[in-house]
Amino acid sequence: MSGTTTTRATFPVTEAINTKLNESFNPTHLEVINESHMHNVPANSETHFKVVVVSSKFESAKGLVQRHRMINGVLSEEIRGPVHALSIVAKTPEQWEKLKSEGKDKI
């Protein structure tokens, strides 16, 4: 068999973040991006992440800080443990659609 296939099970932190954000926010758009390779860490590390979460649950949030707190609360176990850095983009579906129409959704 040629080539290598990487499954989500190979990256348990990525999978945990993905699962928790899906279960908590029921997002219309979700990206979990492992940016660890851009930092001085061993290969295949799971320490630096960027998440893009688009959810109607953010409509009740009074601001960006509250949205970040919501996400940080859901991922508190990962933040206390293996995750060293977490970049967050949290948008409502309306905000996301506006970004898409302006061609600014490639975050």
Side-chain angles (χ1 to χ4, degrees):
M1 182 164 89
S2 66
T4 303
T5 302
T6 302
T7 63
R8 283 186 166 178
T10 307
F11 297 100
V13 178
T14 302
E15 180 63 24
I17 291 171
N18 196 359
T19 298
K20 288 181 177 185
L21 293 176
N22 268 307
E23 289 174 356
S24 297
F25 296 103
N26 191 28
T28 56
H29 180 86
L30 175 63
E31 294 178 53
V32 177
I33 305 159
N34 184 346
E35 298 183 330
S36 301
H37 66 279
M38 298 168 21
H39 301 274
N40 188 21
V41 295
N44 298 320
S45 290
E46 292 187 285
T47 55
H48 297 71
F49 286 90
K50 177 184 210 171
V51 296
V52 179
V53 186
V54 179
S55 174
S56 59
K57 293 196 176 190
F58 296 136
E59 292 170 0
S60 63
K62 295 190 173 155
L64 188 59
V65 172
Q66 188 175 5
R67 293 177 187 185
H68 284 223
R69 286 181 179 158
M70 291 167 70
I71 291 171
N72 285 334
V74 168
L75 300 179
S76 62
E77 183 179 341
E78 288 75 18
I79 292 169
R80 281 193 312 270
V83 175
H84 171 73
L86 180 64
S87 172
I88 299 171
V89 176
K91 302 290 184 190
T92 66
E94 182 180 345
Q95 291 170 324
W96 188 248
E97 287 304 315
K98 184 173 188 271
L99 286 174
K100 281 174 52 176
S101 72
E102 296 170 351
K104 298 177 183 176
D105 60 323
K106 306 296 181 240
I107 297 174

